[in-house]
Amino acid sequence: SITRDYLTGVEIEGAVIFLGGDLVSGTIHDMAETNEDTAAGTAIYWADQLAACLKTIADEFGSVHVPCVVGNHGRMTMKPRTKLRARDNWDWVIYQQLARHFSADPRVSFDITDGTDVSTKIYNTTFLLSHGDQVSGGGGIGGIWPPVMRMLARKKQREQFDCLVIGHFHQLIMAPAQGLIVNGSSKGYDEFASVCN
């Protein structure tokens, strides 16, 4: 509705949907026994929901590109892994299911990395998608901004990009002019958040 009825003079040639992980609550916290479903059941459910969403976007905009990285909640081990990090994660399973679902639909393309980062160029801007769980600190004065900016600077030493897109912190920060977008999350307040103040 916004793109059809409220924008003029803009030709939209397609959409890019970043999937940045934490699609599955997982079993890494002691609250797993109160999850609504198992991690496998959750992955199956959300693969169907996301497929319907991506089809709707493709129907509206003609094409959709989906860069994908895994988060930390969907991992199948208690401690984070470095080797086989992506393939041992329920987010990766969802992405693979989506890619199979759309394998015969040329309007929808995926970039599913086995690493931690995936780069996507949109016109003249290069975005680097990373879950963001490599950031440490952020609980003191200044919040997450200083440690996130340190991670951004370290990533720029090894890769050229204009804007880092992360989601790990479940809060929205729109600062593309400073080279950063942190995605919000519909995840509500829970016992874990309460214990962490």
Side-chain angles (χ1 to χ4, degrees):
S1 175
I2 288 171
T3 58
R4 271 187 268 112
D5 304 331
Y6 295 97
L7 292 178
T8 59
V10 176
E11 183 181 336
I12 298 174
E13 299 177 20
V16 176
I17 305 295
F18 291 107
L19 293 181
D22 283 357
L23 301 179
V24 176
S25 187
T27 57
I28 64 171
H29 297 305
D30 61 353
M31 298 180 301
E33 61 268 10
T34 61
N35 286 348
E36 186 173 338
D37 198 353
T38 64
T42 301
I44 290 168
Y45 174 83
W46 282 110
D48 289 344
Q49 306 310 307
L50 287 166
C53 176
L54 293 173
K55 181 189 179 307
T56 300
I57 293 169
D59 290 344
E60 183 66 35
F61 298 112
S63 68
V64 183
H65 180 62
V66 189
C68 305
V69 296
V70 301
N72 61 309
H73 282 271
R75 67 180 186 251
M76 297 179 202
T77 57
M78 287 305 288
K79 289 189 166 231
R81 295 182 67 156
T82 50
K83 287 189 179 276
L84 301 175
R85 170 189 169 94
R87 289 173 176 265
D88 200 23
N89 190 299
W90 287 107
D91 296 329
W92 187 85
V93 173
I94 292 172
Y95 303 152
Q96 295 300 323
Q97 287 295 103
L98 289 171
R100 283 185 182 186
H101 179 86
F102 288 103
S103 62
D105 189 341
R107 303 173 307 160
V108 184
S109 61
F110 291 84
D111 190 350
I112 305 168
T113 183
D114 280 343
T116 57
D117 304 336
V118 63
S119 181
T120 302
K121 190 163 186 154
I122 304 172
Y123 297 116
N124 295 325
T125 304
T126 302
F127 294 87
L128 184 69
L129 174 64
S130 185
H131 179 64
D133 58 322
Q134 303 123 328
V135 174
S136 58
I141 295 173
I144 66 167
W145 192 259
V148 167
M149 295 310 283
R150 283 192 297 273
M151 180 182 78
L152 189 148
R154 286 192 306 269
K155 286 188 179 292
K156 281 196 173 237
Q157 289 178 352
R158 69 172 211 252
E159 187 161 356
Q160 295 281 71
F161 62 92
D162 301 301
C163 189
L164 177 66
V165 180
I166 61 175
H168 174 66
F169 295 96
H170 300 263
Q171 59 184 288
L172 179 63
I173 298 173
M174 289 295 291
Q178 286 78 36
L180 178 67
I181 297 172
V182 181
N183 188 42
S185 172
S186 59
K187 173 74 175 94
Y189 198 71
D190 60 16
E191 296 89 348
F192 183 77
S194 176
V195 168
C196 294
N197 296 308

